[in-house]
């Protein structure tokens, strides 16, 4: 916190003459009044408008600042190091070419220095500059500087940076920031600014295989169809062959269109519009690639995930994955281990909380094209978005495809669901009863099943308690286990639907996200959500199994309604108010709905 | 990339900024049902428009252009607007807050704060609601002002246009989160990473026409609150005996004319403007009376829905 980050950034802006006179005058007044530097300018105050906000708790956030020298323009992603550190570091690092890590010469490496270095390595920042600040406070000691640098190199050696350089500075007085200091004659290297000006950042992006995520299909009229986007990596020339990565369809580049005229060639970073020689079905989200170097295509892969959501990541829960210009539903299938960002120790985990980092297996709803993040930031990175709040809750870096995804192919059924429906004389679907324990779900579901059976409809009833005796007996009642419980039941129900059976499911299923997950497993219209709505007090009063009494006594943790939430359905197909409707009446109402859906014969 | 004759080739830095802005424009067109471009006619709007024209070439930008007119817009600005719209065949929507106009809100008697809240912030919300827009392009830059330094490229607004700095989405790589629910909107800032100097260097390199007020010329000025105000028409009353003084001035930023201060300058060409900005030792928004009204005013206005 007090390593002098604000002072260093203020010093860079000041010495590159990016502080206007009116701000400088203000700064000089503020320095005398609030400053901690005597008669000197307190450069940290330059960024201070933000400090007040920080106290209100709103700058737990990345700020972007700009300065330039005649040689290079810079964007500083100023990432507060304390709260939300991992989220902020990752956000800033995701677009950075280099990281400047600040160490207080008196304190040496701290846990947070190691943590920041690790996050930088995870995001694949190639260059790290270690700034050993406040060197004046250790009597300009070369030995102290050398010891800190050795310490850091010992740690950073395993993090895979391309270059690590170190500079001794005194940000307060500007030594070795923009100007060489006479007080560190033992240091012959460049100043911080010289280092930043000369770091090799034009990565060999253009030398990598061609990757072009289609961002927008430009089709003003029937005569023009162009695929607009930015070349992620590689080069493309007119006449080059390309293929659509997932479908494998091939064509050649007919034109490279820009507003400044057609190009013969474009390279990584160019925003262009490609016209292909053949009429292909190409849409936003597709990845055009070089046929000679194709990316991986898979629906299961392993990745590092950094969690940024207030609610924890739960394996099995479905999120939107944004990868390249594509959005697909995705879920974490296995949390392999969590990484303690302070110690780099691995530990098992069942969920991942805010600022946590884990290595996971993920599955997507459809195959996606990607490269390993280590090879290609643009095609190996993804973010996860909460499907309910639309918040960005996770960032991921793909490590590799899971072979089982590439080797497991679906078998086509010769007897189809339509053929089964014809034989049965009725359609099939999922009737999902959700509600608190004791709301009467199972009673109503039983009645509905009896009535369907009497009409000759093939049915099966999956009940929460029964399933937990067999298929799901390894699961408890924590949030991750509840998600997995519903996911498995959903998959089983889907098989029943394929088999032509009307499957009734009676589960508390307290989370909207999982109910939606099951809904999306089957075609639209084949999922009927029945919300059995009974007030909690009423359920507690009924307490048919004596569970509420035990939960209240603390004997059953994570009990829905007591110490675990129930998320009320927003748009159920039918809501049954059990305070106003009897069980038989409720069953009849459900039956009428099923008749309308073609499930009831 | 070789442009039409007379254009300077873009530096790698400007080319990178341009490509990023083009990508942001395309993202909006691809992901939102009903976007709108807030066209304020200033230098940033000019660059943003230029980039949008490039992004969709050979098509026209697939969204309308909205100008919120306060009634106190510089006459030069309106002429420039109409010429630009005609040249590119853009669909322009002009909105003025009818209630504010009826109540006679003006920057002189009502005060700058009330005027800008009613005639700019409220007017903008009215126009956005009337159009049912789910995304609005704005020319804001992160280097403009402290509270903008943390602004997202895709800045989320809850239903009612409120900006909650605590409830913004982290933006990693260029993987923008464009998902909104009904009634929620985003403000999109394609020029987030440009500086004032970048804007001028790009304007010069691409030969983008600008409102003549950005170039120095002798203009009638009066001093108000220590700032140099150009008397654009005779609605600004003079003190007894006061006479406008003709000075060579230009503007760095354009708002409502009685609220925007000019700077003394001899920069009559874009080359001279670039040189002046490069050497400038004053903040760009130092000439905006509205910002000086109270500290943290930009942040407060943003929460209310200002751009």
């Amino acid at each position: 916190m007090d390593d002098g980050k604000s002072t260093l950034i203020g010093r860079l802006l000041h010495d590159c003459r990016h502080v206007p006179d009116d701000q400088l005058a203000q700064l000089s007044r503020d320095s005398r009044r609030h400053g901690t530097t005597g008669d000197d300018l307190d450069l940290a105050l330059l960024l201070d408008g933000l400090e007040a906000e920080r106290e209100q708790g709103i700058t737990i956030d990345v700020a972007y600042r700009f300065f330039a020298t005649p040689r290079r323009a810079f964007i500083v992603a100023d990432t507060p190091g304390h709260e939300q550190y991992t989220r902020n570091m990752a956000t800033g690092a995701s677009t950075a070419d280099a990281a400047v890590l600040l160490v207080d010469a008196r304190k040496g490496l701290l846990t947070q220095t190691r943590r920041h270095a690790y996050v930088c390595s995870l995001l694949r920042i190639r260059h790290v500059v270690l700034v050993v600040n406040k060197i004046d406070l250790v009597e300009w000691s070369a030995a102290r500087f050398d010891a800190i640098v050795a310490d850091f190199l010992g740690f950073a050696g395993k993090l895979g940076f391309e270059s690590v350089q170190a500079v001794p500075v005194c940000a307060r007085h500007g030594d070795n920031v923009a100007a060489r200091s006479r007080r560190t004659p033992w240091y012959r290297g460049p100043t911080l600014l010289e280092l930043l000006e000369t770091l090799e950042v034009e990565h060999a992006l253009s030398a990598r295989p061609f990757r072009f995520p289609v961002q927008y299909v430009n089709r003003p009229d029937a005569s023009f169809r162009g695929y607009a986007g930015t070349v992620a990596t590689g080069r493309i020339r007119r006449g080059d062959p390309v293929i659509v990565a997932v479908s494998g369809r091939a064509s050649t580049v007919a034109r490279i269109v820009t507003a400044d005229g057609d190009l013969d060639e474009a390279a990584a970073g160019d925003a262009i519009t490609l016209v292909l020689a053949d009429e292909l079905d190409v849409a936003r989200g597709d990845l055009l690639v070089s046929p000679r170097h194709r990316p991986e295509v898979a629906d299961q892969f392993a990745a590092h995930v950094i969690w940024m959501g207030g609610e924890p990541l739960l394996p099995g829960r479905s999120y939107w994955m944004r990868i390249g210009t594509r959005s697909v539903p995705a879920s974490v299938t296995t949390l392999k281990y969590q990484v303690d960002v302070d110690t780099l120790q691995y530990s098992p985990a069942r969920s991942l909380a805010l600022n946590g980092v884990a290595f996971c297996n993920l599955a997507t709803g459809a195959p996606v094209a990607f490269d390993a993040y280590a090879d290609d930031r643009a095609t190996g990175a993804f973010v996860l978005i909460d499907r309910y709040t639309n918040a960005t809750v996770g960032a991921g870096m793909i490590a590799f495809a899971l072979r089982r995804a590439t080797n497991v192919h679906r078998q086509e059924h010769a007897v189809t669901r339509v053929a089964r429906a014809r034989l049965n004389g009725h359609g099939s679907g999922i009737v999902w009863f959700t509600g608190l324990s004791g709301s009467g779900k199972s009673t109503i579901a039983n009645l509905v099943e009896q009535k369907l059976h009497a009409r000759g409809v093939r049915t099966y009833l999956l009940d929460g308690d029964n399933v937990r005796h067999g298929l799901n007996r390894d699961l408890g009642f924590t949030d991750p286990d509840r998600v997995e419980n519903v996911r498995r039941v959903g998959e089983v129900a889907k098989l029943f639907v394929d088999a032509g059976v009307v499957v009734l499911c009676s589960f508390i299923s307290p989370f909207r996200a999982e109910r939606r997950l099951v809904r999306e497993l089957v075609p639209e219209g084949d999922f009927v959500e029945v919300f059995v709505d009974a007030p909690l007090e009423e359920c507690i009063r009924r307490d048919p199994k004596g569970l509420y009494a035990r939960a209240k006594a603390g004997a059953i943790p994570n009990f829905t309604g007591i110490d675990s939430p129930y998320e009320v359905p927003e748009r159920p197909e039918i809501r049954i108010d059990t305070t106003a409707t009897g069980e038989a009446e409720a069953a009849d109402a459900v039956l009428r709905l099923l008749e309308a859906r073609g499930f009831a014969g | 990339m070789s442009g039409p004759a007379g254009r300077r080739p873009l530096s790698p830095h400007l080319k990178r900024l341009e490509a990023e802005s083009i990508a942001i424009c395309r993202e909006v067109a691809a992901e939102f049902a009903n976007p709108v471009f807030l066209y304020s006619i200033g230098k940033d709007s000019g660059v943003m428009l230029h980039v949008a024209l490039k992004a969709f070439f050979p098509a026209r930008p697939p969204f309308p252009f909205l100008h919120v007119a306060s009634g106190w817009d510089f006459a030069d600005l309106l002429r420039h607007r109409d010429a630009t719209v005609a040249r590119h065949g853009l669909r322009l929507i002009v909105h003025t807050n009818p209630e504010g106009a009826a109540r006679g809100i003006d920057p002189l008697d009502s005060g700058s704060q009330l005027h800008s809240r009613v005639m700019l912030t409220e007017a903008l919300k009215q126009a956005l609601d009337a159009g049912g827009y789910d995304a609005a392009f704005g020319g804001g830059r992160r280097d403009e002002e402290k509270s903008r330094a943390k602004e997202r490229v895709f800045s989320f607004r809850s239903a009612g246009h409120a900006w909650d700095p605590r409830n913004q989405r982290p933006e990693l790589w260029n993987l923008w989160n464009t998902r909104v629910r009904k009634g929620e909107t985003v403000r999109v800032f394609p020029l987030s990473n440009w500086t004032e100097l970048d804007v001028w260097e790009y304007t010069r390199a691409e030969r983008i026409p600008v409102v003549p007020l950005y170039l120095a010329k002798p203009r009638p000025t009066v001093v108000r609150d220590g700032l140099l105000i150009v008397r654009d028409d005779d609605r600004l009353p003079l003190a007894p005996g006061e006479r406008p003084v003709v000075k060579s001035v230009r503007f760095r930023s354009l708002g409502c004319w009685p609220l925007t201060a000019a700077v003394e300058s001899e920069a009559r060409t874009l080359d001279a403007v670039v040189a002046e900005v490069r050497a400038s030792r004053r903040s760009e928004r130092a000439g905006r009376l509205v910002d000086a009204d109270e500290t943290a005013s930009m942040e407060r206005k943003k929460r209310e829905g200002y751009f």
Side-chain angles (χ1 to χ4, degrees):
Chain A
M1 262 177 97
D2 291 320
D3 303 335
K5 179 173 68 74
S6 297
T7 307
L8 180 67
I9 295 174
R11 169 60 64 187
L12 278 168
L13 298 179
H14 176 267
D15 289 3
C16 293
R17 302 179 55 78
H18 272 266
V19 182
D21 282 346
D22 44 324
Q23 283 182 28
L24 213 53
Q26 181 69 36
L27 176 65
S28 150
R29 285 194 296 278
D30 289 352
S31 297
R32 279 192 295 276
R33 204 153 8 120
H34 312 292
T36 55
T37 50
D39 287 337
D40 296 333
L41 289 180
D42 186 350
L43 292 166
L45 293 177
L46 269 181
L47 317 178
D48 225 32
L50 305 167
E51 298 284 357
E53 301 170 16
R54 198 170 286 168
E55 272 146 39
Q56 298 165 35
I58 55 177
T59 49
I60 314 179
D61 217 335
V62 185
Y64 294 90
R65 310 176 193 290
F66 304 81
F67 68 94
T69 69
R71 294 170 76 174
R72 187 170 265 179
F74 297 90
I75 301 179
V76 181
D78 179 4
T79 58
H82 12 169
E83 275 182 86
Q84 304 275 3
Y85 45 84
T86 311
R87 163 180 156 153
N88 284 320
M89 277 296 294
T91 301
S94 72
T95 49
D97 292 306
V100 175
L101 293 178
L102 205 55
V103 179
D104 184 326
R106 294 168 302 175
K107 299 181 193 155
L109 295 199
L110 299 177
T111 299
Q112 75 171 19
T113 320
R114 297 196 175 88
R115 174 199 298 159
H116 291 171
Y118 171 68
V119 175
C120 290
S121 77
L122 202 56
L123 274 289
R124 293 272 161 184
I125 291 188
R126 295 155 64 238
H127 304 288
V128 168
V129 180
L130 185 74
V131 167
V132 180
N133 191 24
K134 305 192 184 180
I135 196 76
D136 54 323
L137 300 182
V138 293
E139 278 84 48
W140 311 94
S141 160
R144 181 71 186 138
F145 174 74
D146 290 342
I148 290 172
V149 173
D151 197 6
F152 184 75
L153 289 177
F155 169 76
K158 48 184 185 265
L159 295 179
F161 296 116
E162 208 170 294
S163 79
V164 177
Q165 287 168 287
V167 199
V169 313
C170 166
R172 182 172 156 190
H173 299 296
D175 296 82
N176 292 329
V177 177
R180 202 71 56 100
S181 172
R182 274 173 291 124
R183 294 179 281 199
T184 52
W186 42 268
Y187 175 73
R188 298 218 167 69
T191 63
L192 172 61
L193 197 60
E194 282 168 347
L195 253 177
L196 294 175
E197 281 181 317
T198 52
L199 279 176
E200 180 56 58
V201 295
E202 297 303 328
H203 343 174
L205 280 185
S206 298
R208 297 252 332 133
F210 175 67
R211 301 283 185 260
F212 183 80
V214 175
Q215 194 184 10
Y216 176 77
V217 179
N218 194 359
R219 205 175 184 188
D221 54 56
S223 70
F224 186 88
R225 183 182 178 93
Y227 303 112
T230 305
V231 181
T233 55
R235 310 181 156 273
I236 190 78
R237 290 177 193 79
R238 186 166 26 197
D240 277 357
V242 290
I243 63 165
V244 185
V246 171
S247 69
R249 278 186 284 259
S251 185
T252 52
V253 172
R255 292 176 61 193
I256 303 173
V257 177
T258 79
D260 299 299
D262 277 18
L263 306 179
D264 293 327
E265 185 187 49
D270 292 344
I272 55 171
T273 300
L274 291 178
V275 176
L276 300 184
D278 306 276
E279 289 250 344
L280 292 190
D281 181 21
V282 177
R284 172 176 166 88
D286 280 329
L287 186 67
L288 299 181
V289 303
S290 149
R292 298 220 322 229
H293 301 96
R294 298 168 66 154
E296 297 263 11
V297 175
D299 60 1
Q300 290 187 54
F301 44 78
H304 280 99
V305 170
I306 299 174
W307 199 246
M308 305 177 157
E311 278 189 51
L313 180 162
L314 299 178
R317 178 165 284 185
S318 177
Y319 301 95
W320 281 113
M321 174 185 284
R322 169 86 198 257
I323 173 164
T325 53
R326 179 109 187 261
S327 291
V328 287
S331 59
V332 168
T333 51
T334 315
L335 267 176
K336 304 214 303 194
Y337 55 81
Q338 181 165 2
V339 184
D340 181 323
V341 294
D342 292 340
T343 62
L344 305 193
Q345 301 283 309
Y346 299 166
S347 60
R350 307 216 52 185
S351 68
L352 192 63
L354 179 65
N355 290 316
V357 177
F359 194 60
C360 319
N361 289 345
L362 291 105
T364 51
V368 293
F370 62 87
D371 295 284
Y373 183 78
D375 295 331
D376 197 331
R377 264 184 170 188
T379 50
F382 61 85
V383 296
L384 295 174
I385 297 169
D386 187 288
R387 298 185 63 167
Y388 181 69
T389 64
N390 288 327
T392 303
V393 290
M397 291 130 295
I398 300 180
F400 49 82
L402 297 177
R403 288 300 141 210
R404 59 183 187 227
T406 19
N407 297 329
V408 178
H409 296 286
R410 287 186 186 277
Q411 194 68 36
E412 286 293 327
H413 288 297
V415 176
T416 63
R417 190 179 156 193
V418 177
R420 289 183 220 278
R422 213 176 295 130
L423 183 69
N424 290 339
H426 61 78
S428 59
I430 299 175
V431 189
W432 191 273
F433 295 81
T434 173
L436 293 168
S437 176
S439 58
K441 300 181 295 298
S442 297
T443 311
I444 297 169
N446 266 309
L447 281 172
V448 172
E449 188 179 29
Q450 284 168 15
K451 293 188 186 217
L452 287 172
H453 186 76
R455 293 185 183 198
V457 175
R458 290 170 205 277
T459 59
Y460 193 71
L461 178 64
L462 290 169
D463 182 87
D465 289 344
N466 296 357
V467 171
R468 281 183 178 277
H469 285 300
L471 176 67
N472 290 355
R473 74 170 155 228
D474 57 326
L475 299 177
F477 291 88
T478 59
D479 287 358
D481 281 2
R482 285 179 185 278
V483 172
E484 177 61 11
N485 182 45
V486 171
R487 188 195 70 80
R488 288 186 199 172
V489 169
E491 291 289 348
V492 170
K494 185 185 172 197
L495 293 175
F496 275 104
V497 171
D498 276 344
V501 176
V502 174
V503 52
L504 301 106
C505 304
S506 172
F507 291 84
I508 298 173
S509 47
F511 303 131
R512 283 187 198 111
E514 281 63 57
R515 294 192 300 260
R516 184 174 47 210
L517 181 132
V518 178
R519 180 184 289 271
E520 288 172 0
L521 284 173
V522 292
E524 210 179 316
D526 291 355
F527 181 90
V528 174
E529 189 172 23
V530 181
F531 175 30
V532 184
D533 190 1
L536 180 63
E537 310 75 59
E538 178 61 19
C539 295
I540 293 174
R541 197 190 55 73
R542 291 181 201 158
D543 204 5
K545 300 172 196 162
L547 296 174
Y548 284 101
R550 294 185 55 210
K552 281 177 134 176
I556 311 177
N558 303 316
F559 196 80
T560 302
I562 303 298
D563 56 353
S564 185
Y566 179 81
E567 296 172 0
V568 170
E570 290 182 326
R571 279 184 295 277
E573 272 70 11
I574 183 167
R575 171 180 165 268
I576 290 164
D577 178 357
T578 61
T579 58
T581 317
E583 284 155 356
E585 204 183 326
D588 285 334
V590 174
L591 211 60
R592 281 194 295 277
L593 184 63
L594 300 185
E595 280 167 6
R597 293 285 170 110
F599 296 171
Chain B
M1 203 184 287
S2 65
R7 264 198 212 161
R8 296 164 196 239
L10 289 180
S11 68
H13 173 63
L14 289 179
K15 207 176 155 205
R16 198 157 39 228
L17 287 172
E18 179 193 67
E20 179 182 72
S21 303
I22 286 175
I24 294 164
C25 291
R26 288 168 171 172
E27 188 72 13
V28 171
E31 290 282 274
F32 290 89
N34 191 17
V36 67
F37 184 112
L38 293 191
Y39 184 46
S40 72
I41 314 139
K43 62 186 192 303
D44 304 301
S45 266
V47 166
M48 190 163 72
L49 167 63
H50 191 76
V51 164
L53 291 167
K54 286 193 174 194
F56 301 102
F57 178 87
R60 277 191 212 139
F63 34 74
F65 291 72
L66 171 66
H67 177 219
V68 174
S70 73
W72 293 81
D73 314 273
F74 285 103
D76 263 4
L77 197 92
L78 299 179
R79 273 193 291 276
H80 182 81
R81 176 193 74 192
D82 295 337
T84 306
V85 164
R87 184 164 60 250
H88 300 296
L90 308 177
R91 208 173 104 218
L92 177 74
I93 300 162
V94 178
H95 178 77
T96 302
N97 183 347
E99 292 118 56
R103 278 161 58 203
I105 303 280
D106 73 39
L108 304 175
D109 297 330
S110 317
S112 64
Q113 267 189 58
L114 182 66
H115 171 77
S116 81
R117 185 167 59 75
V118 175
M119 299 311 284
L120 298 175
T121 308
E122 293 301 326
L124 173 62
K125 289 197 239 178
Q126 287 170 351
L128 293 177
D129 287 339
Y133 303 112
D134 51 1
F137 287 102
R141 308 188 323 264
R142 285 168 173 160
D143 85 319
E144 252 177 278
E145 206 268 340
K146 275 177 183 175
S147 78
R148 293 225 204 238
K150 281 166 276 126
E151 184 57 284
R152 303 299 195 271
V153 175
F154 285 78
S155 176
F156 178 78
R157 307 295 155 110
S158 57
H161 307 286
W163 177 70
D164 178 359
R166 268 162 286 212
N167 188 23
Q168 294 294 313
R169 301 161 173 179
E171 288 185 327
L172 293 102
W173 302 287
N174 57 353
L175 300 177
W176 299 297
N177 180 350
T178 53
R179 291 181 179 273
V180 291
R181 289 190 279 192
K182 205 166 165 48
E184 297 170 342
T185 57
V186 295
R187 305 275 170 95
V188 186
F189 302 107
L191 308 185
S192 287
N193 289 326
W194 296 57
T195 63
E196 184 189 13
L197 184 60
D198 294 330
V199 164
W200 281 119
E201 291 191 328
Y202 184 80
T203 299
R204 178 176 64 169
E206 293 285 304
R207 309 201 147 210
I208 303 171
V210 294
V211 181
L213 294 161
Y214 285 117
L215 304 177
K217 181 176 125 172
R219 295 185 171 96
T221 65
V222 294
V223 174
R224 292 285 182 274
D225 295 330
L227 296 168
L228 212 47
I229 300 296
V230 167
R231 201 161 173 257
D232 204 52
D233 61 45
D234 53 17
R235 285 181 289 178
L236 181 68
L238 298 173
E242 186 185 35
R243 281 209 169 156
V245 180
V246 174
K247 286 186 174 162
S248 178
V249 295
R250 68 174 211 91
F251 291 84
R252 286 180 72 181
S253 158
L254 291 175
C256 298
W257 67 257
L259 299 178
T260 310
V263 289
E264 291 198 59
S265 166
E266 297 297 330
R268 287 156 208 273
T269 62
L270 284 180
D271 282 338
V273 168
V274 168
E276 189 185 279
V277 170
R278 207 173 260 157
S280 170
R281 303 295 302 148
R282 290 195 76 211
S283 303
E284 178 184 2
R285 293 191 76 98
R288 291 284 191 107
L289 288 179
V290 189
D291 291 351
D293 262 353
E294 56 185 81
T295 44
S297 74
M298 181 73 101
E299 184 174 328
R300 184 182 48 74
K301 283 190 291 175
K302 278 180 66 174
R303 285 162 172 280
E304 289 169 1
Y306 181 81
F307 248 81

